[in-house]
Amino acid sequence: MGTDHVEVTSADIARIARVKPTAVSNWRRRHDDFPKAVGGTDRSPRFDLGEVESWLRSQGRTGGIPADQRLWQAFDSVRAVMAPGDALSAVGLLMLHLREHPDVAVPTEPAELSDLLSRAARMFPAGMLGTDVAGLTRGLRQPEASRLATVLTAAVDAARDAEPGEADGPAKTFETLCSRFLDTGGRAGFTATPPELAELMVQLAGTPAGTLLDPACGSGTILLTAAARGYQRILGQELDPSIARLAALRLAFSHPGERPMTFDIEPGDSLRRPAFPLEQAAAVVSNPPFADRNWGYDELLQSPVWAYGAPARGESELAWAQQSLAHVVPGGAVVILMPPAVAFRPSGRRNRKELLARGALRAIISLPPGLAAHYSLALQIWILRRPVDRLTPDHLLVMDATGGAGTTKSAAGSNITPTWVQVCKLVTESWEKFCADPAGFPDRPGVARAVPVTDLLDEETDLTPRRHLPLPPPPTVSGEELTSARERFTRLLSTLGDTLVDTAALPDLDHETVRSVPLSDLSKTGVVFIRRASSLGAAHNQEEARSVHRIEGRIVTGTDIVRGQPPSQVGDVDGDEVRNPPIRTGDILVPIVAHRLTARVAAAEDIGAYPASTVYLVRVDPAVLDPWFLAGYLSSNDGARQAERVGSSLGGDIRVDLRRVRVPLLPLDTQRAYGRTFQRLSDFTRNLRAAHDLGLELARSSIDAIASGLTFATEASPSAP
């Protein structure tokens, strides 16, 4: 019996053939021999991968599907008959077996396949997994066995197809498949911990020694980091058994043979039924679930682990924090990821006060928004330590890593999130300095401060870091700078009047002799050259991508054109001047998508830059067509109407099709007269925008200058009775 077929979608076929999805639709319509759908729906059909590959070869469109791509397609197809987590666990078991038995063949009969997987399960380190891995192999029937055999065969092929010199093809194959599965939403509500965050949290737990526990280990990223850093025993618990198996298998592949390290991953609810004894771990590092309303409030109300008060029903995160403290030995560290609301919610005030007053809470570190997860929350790292004696620390470290890690602004004025390298360096250095001398820790305005615990034990016990950080020095604006700004603003206002246009001075037109021509016709005759830059990532094959000569260049975006600002980006561009000519004097730049069609003639700062893939570059023969005349007409309501009529609406924006816009042909002298008028209007618009921006900046600077003295006078004065 052969392996079962693998099903693929039209999008999968497009990726395999390195074409756009629309090409696949065209093939289905134009070629009677294109494979027929074997599943799916009319709107989303699925095709047999073997038939598709055979058809593509007959058309000379592909030389074969890479083994890793075939593996993913086979794995994606197995979801219809078995849980993907179980299928992935089976792949992991077989890859472990393949390490010791490189000549293994995958049978397709259910009994033989079950026997192979049972033998593979025995390769798993004994006593290192609480859940029944071998249980996956019992009771296999068709079509599960057939589909699973296809996946396992593809996995073996991918492992054997590893790059020359690849140290461990089976491990790489499993980790690649596992990572792709987790990245595409392995299960609802599950978000894998970024490796950089895991590295930072494990480092904050202190010198690796003894046992590390993650009571909500997920796919095991924190545990893998702990093993790499030298912990001798790794413990983890995960609610979802299939995800727990993945964590255990990932650890098995990373298990170093040259030094002792053991691990145990148990499935189950860590809060209701903890799998490991209390007071055992040297450290607990975890990224537990947030905002869990069903964490066991009613069942655990009388739990002995609530040494700092029973958490409220809506404070599941504080329940995880206390459970973690109960698992560490005296002096043991707890590093836990928290949402920002835990630091200030009224329902958690009593627990926060107890954690502070009894010396368990040592630091709260606010991470840059969006750095640690797919959502834009400024997540926090809480560092706790189980008290050893009655002596309690008298300071709490509060940090906001956003500003201190080097947050900058782009040329367009938007914030650029600091990198993990910057954040980790700032956080670890600050934590080490604080641990060495909490009372002597130097304040860093806007970044870090050691706050006396007594200052925090008020009615709110709001521990939000930014609330307790000293303000950074206010921007000092001298009187001379304000005077200079006012003078520049006055000069700009005066130039506005000089650039106003008197339309009565324009030459008269003989409307009967004026004819209009589509830009597409002018393009065919060479009068107009219209080009859209292609993205470097748009190369259809690796050979084409390698042939692109990349250079660093300034880039003009559609947003730059609309806002009237200089090129705002710097990046890799195609350095071939034939495929991607730089902007020259007289070139016209038009955004492809905008709320209103806007065309600008290249300014001095644009020369030598490159248009983004969202911008049309229009180059004209100045002996036939005046660039300012054409840019002015394209920017008019009539030009926009024509572009919109042949374009498409995108949420209030229009997609521009310049080639169908009809431009009136006038004598060159008349064009230049109109062009000079359009140019003056462009100058008026630019000066008006500059006056607007400078006026707002002047107003803000004046407010800051007036208020700065009041702010510091308030901070320096004693508190009112």
Side-chain angles (χ1 to χ4, degrees):
M1 181 182 68
T3 57
D4 198 36
H5 69 265
V6 175
E7 296 179 4
V8 291
T9 65
S10 295
D12 296 329
I13 298 172
R15 282 191 292 270
I16 291 168
R18 300 185 181 93
V19 297
K20 295 181 179 180
T22 51
V24 179
S25 299
N26 289 334
W27 295 342
R28 293 183 62 199
R29 288 195 301 267
R30 295 169 52 190
H31 296 277
D32 294 336
D33 61 341
F34 189 85
K36 304 302 180 184
V38 295
T41 64
D42 291 340
R43 295 179 60 87
S44 182
R46 300 181 71 89
F47 306 87
D48 182 275
L49 177 60
E51 295 179 2
V52 168
E53 188 176 14
S54 177
W55 186 87
L56 289 173
R57 279 198 299 268
S58 72
Q59 300 293 316
R61 297 185 181 276
T62 181
I65 301 172
D68 58 345
Q69 179 69 13
R70 181 182 294 278
L71 171 58
W72 176 253
Q73 301 300 341
F75 176 74
D76 193 48
S77 293
V78 84
R79 296 170 185 257
V81 295
M82 68 184 304
D86 290 346
L88 190 52
S89 295
V91 171
L93 288 174
L94 184 61
M95 292 298 97
L96 279 173
H97 188 70
L98 186 63
R99 276 177 154 181
E100 302 297 327
H101 302 84
D103 297 328
V104 66
V106 179
T108 56
E109 292 295 338
E112 296 176 359
L113 185 59
S114 293
D115 181 63
L116 171 64
L117 292 177
S118 295
R119 284 184 280 117
R122 290 195 288 272
M123 297 295 300
F124 200 86
M128 293 185 176
L129 181 65
T131 187
D132 181 15
V133 176
L136 294 173
T137 67
R138 289 193 292 267
L140 278 177
R141 294 179 296 179
Q142 298 291 358
E144 292 96 332
S146 181
R147 289 285 181 94
L148 185 58
T150 301
V151 175
L152 297 178
T153 300
V156 171
D157 291 343
R160 292 170 176 167
D161 196 45
E163 293 290 333
E166 178 66 46
D168 194 341
K172 179 184 176 184
T173 297
F174 175 67
E175 184 61 28
T176 299
L177 185 61
C178 190
S179 298
R180 188 166 180 180
F181 166 68
L182 295 170
D183 289 344
T184 54
R187 65 179 173 92
F190 174 77
T191 302
T193 304
E196 301 87 350
L197 175 60
E199 179 70 29
L200 173 59
M201 294 176 68
V202 173
Q203 189 172 349
L204 291 173
T207 303
T211 300
L212 181 138
L213 165 67
D214 183 353
C217 67
S219 58
T221 304
I222 289 175
L223 301 180
L224 287 167
T225 303
R229 289 189 64 85
Y231 279 92
Q232 297 174 356
R233 181 159 174 74
I234 306 296
L235 304 178
Q237 189 167 355
E238 164 58 31
L239 182 63
D240 187 324
S242 65
I243 301 297
R245 282 194 294 267
L246 297 186
L249 286 162
R250 295 176 78 192
L251 281 165
F253 276 108
S254 70
H255 186 222
E258 67 276 7
R259 61 177 175 81
M261 188 275 282
T262 60
F263 63 88
D264 187 1
I265 312 299
E266 298 283 346
D269 188 329
S270 291
L271 291 179
R272 291 181 174 91
R273 289 172 292 279
F276 305 104
L278 303 181
E279 299 187 43
Q280 182 186 39
V284 170
V285 181
S286 189
N287 175 9
F290 299 160
D292 183 5
R293 303 292 294 184
N294 187 32
W295 59 270
Y297 171 81
D298 294 323
E299 303 99 305
L300 300 174
L301 195 58
Q302 304 300 323
S303 172
V305 303
W306 308 142
Y308 305 91
R313 188 182 298 274
E315 295 291 343
S316 62
E317 298 87 358
L318 289 173
W320 282 103
Q322 291 201 60
Q323 180 80 284
S324 299
L325 279 170
H327 272 96
V328 294
V329 298
V334 172
V335 182
I336 187 169
L337 195 68
M338 296 283 204
V342 182
F344 63 82
R345 277 195 301 243
S347 56
R349 180 187 64 83
R350 184 168 63 92
N351 294 139
R352 293 194 299 270
K353 181 173 288 189
E354 285 295 310
L355 289 167
L356 272 175
R358 297 171 60 183
L361 184 57
R362 303 303 313 281
I364 297 182
I365 301 162
S366 182
L367 299 173
L371 186 67
H374 63 282
Y375 38 78
S376 299
L377 285 178
L379 298 180
Q380 296 173 353
I381 296 176
W382 284 34
I383 305 177
L384 305 99
R385 198 172 295 276
R386 184 166 182 173
V388 178
D389 49 38
R390 294 181 178 274
L391 296 177
T392 59
D394 53 4
H395 287 80
L396 175 76
L397 175 65
V398 294
M399 285 192 65
D400 184 350
T402 303
T407 299
T408 58
K409 288 186 177 294
S410 67
S414 59
N415 287 334
I416 298 176
T417 302
T419 65
W420 271 114
V421 172
Q422 294 171 318
V423 170
C424 291
K425 183 175 185 294
L426 170 71
V427 171
T428 54
E429 289 180 353
S430 299
W431 173 240
E432 289 171 2
K433 289 180 181 179
F434 174 79
C435 290
D437 184 10
F441 182 83
D443 288 356
R444 290 193 60 182
V447 178
R449 179 189 175 198
V451 184
V453 170
T454 53
D455 292 354
L456 300 169
L457 299 176
D458 54 17
E459 290 299 320
E460 296 180 347
T461 315
D462 186 340
L463 306 183
T464 303
R466 185 169 295 186
R467 178 182 174 94
H468 302 286
L469 293 174
L471 291 175
T476 56
V477 182
S478 66
E480 292 79 7
E481 289 174 320
L482 287 175
T483 300
S484 175
R486 282 194 293 268
E487 290 174 352
R488 294 199 309 273
F489 181 67
T490 302
R491 286 196 300 271
L492 273 174
L493 289 179
S494 66
T495 60
L496 288 174
D498 296 336
T499 53
L500 286 173
V501 172
D502 182 7
T503 57
L506 290 171
D508 294 331
L509 297 178
D510 182 359
H511 295 284
E512 294 183 357
T513 62
V514 175
R515 64 187 183 91
S516 61
V517 180
L519 282 180
S520 59
D521 290 355
L522 296 177
S523 177
K524 293 175 183 177
T525 61
V527 173
V528 174
F529 168 76
I530 303 175
R531 183 186 168 282
R532 174 184 178 181
S534 61
S535 169
L536 286 178
H540 287 167
N541 55 63
Q542 294 182 352
E543 182 177 349
E544 180 182 343
R546 286 194 296 266
S547 69
V548 175
H549 172 55
R550 292 173 168 83
I551 62 173
E552 186 179 84
R554 296 177 297 121
I555 301 173
V556 181
T557 68
T559 301
D560 297 335
I561 297 169
V562 172
R563 294 180 178 175
Q565 63 191 21
S568 64
Q569 296 183 5
V570 175
D572 284 351
V573 297
D574 185 350
D576 189 310
E577 293 198 10
V578 176
R579 288 194 302 259
N580 189 33
I583 298 170
R584 302 177 188 171
T585 301
D587 285 349
I588 303 168
L589 306 173
V590 184
I592 293 174
V593 177
H595 189 68
R596 174 189 170 94
L597 195 154
T598 303
R600 92 175 181 201
V601 179
E605 59 267 23
D606 298 325
I607 308 304
Y610 293 84
S613 58
T614 57
V615 173
Y616 282 121
L617 182 146
V618 182
R619 186 168 292 168
V620 302
D621 181 352
V624 180
L625 199 58
D626 181 74
W628 281 105
F629 168 74
L630 178 58
Y633 183 77
L634 290 175
S635 300
S636 68
N637 278 334
D638 189 51
R641 176 184 57 80
Q642 293 187 60
E644 185 177 9
R645 178 175 59 85
V646 298
S648 59
S649 175
L650 298 171
D653 291 345
I654 62 169
R655 185 180 295 277
V656 173
D657 184 357
L658 292 179
R659 288 176 172 80
R660 298 290 296 274
V661 177
R662 303 181 68 89
V663 180
L665 286 186
L666 304 176
L668 188 58
D669 289 344
T670 305
Q671 288 184 44
R672 289 171 177 165
Y674 274 86
R676 287 190 293 271
T677 300
F678 286 139
Q679 184 175 6
R680 290 188 65 186
L681 286 170
S682 176
D683 293 340
F684 175 80
T685 302
R686 186 180 65 255
N687 290 334
L688 182 62
R689 184 180 289 111
H692 171 270
D693 295 342
L694 181 57
L696 290 179
E697 181 183 348
L698 177 61
R700 285 193 293 265
S701 297
S702 299
I703 292 171
D704 289 341
I706 295 169
S708 61
L710 297 174
T711 300
F712 277 84
T714 301
E715 290 189 340
S717 64
S719 300

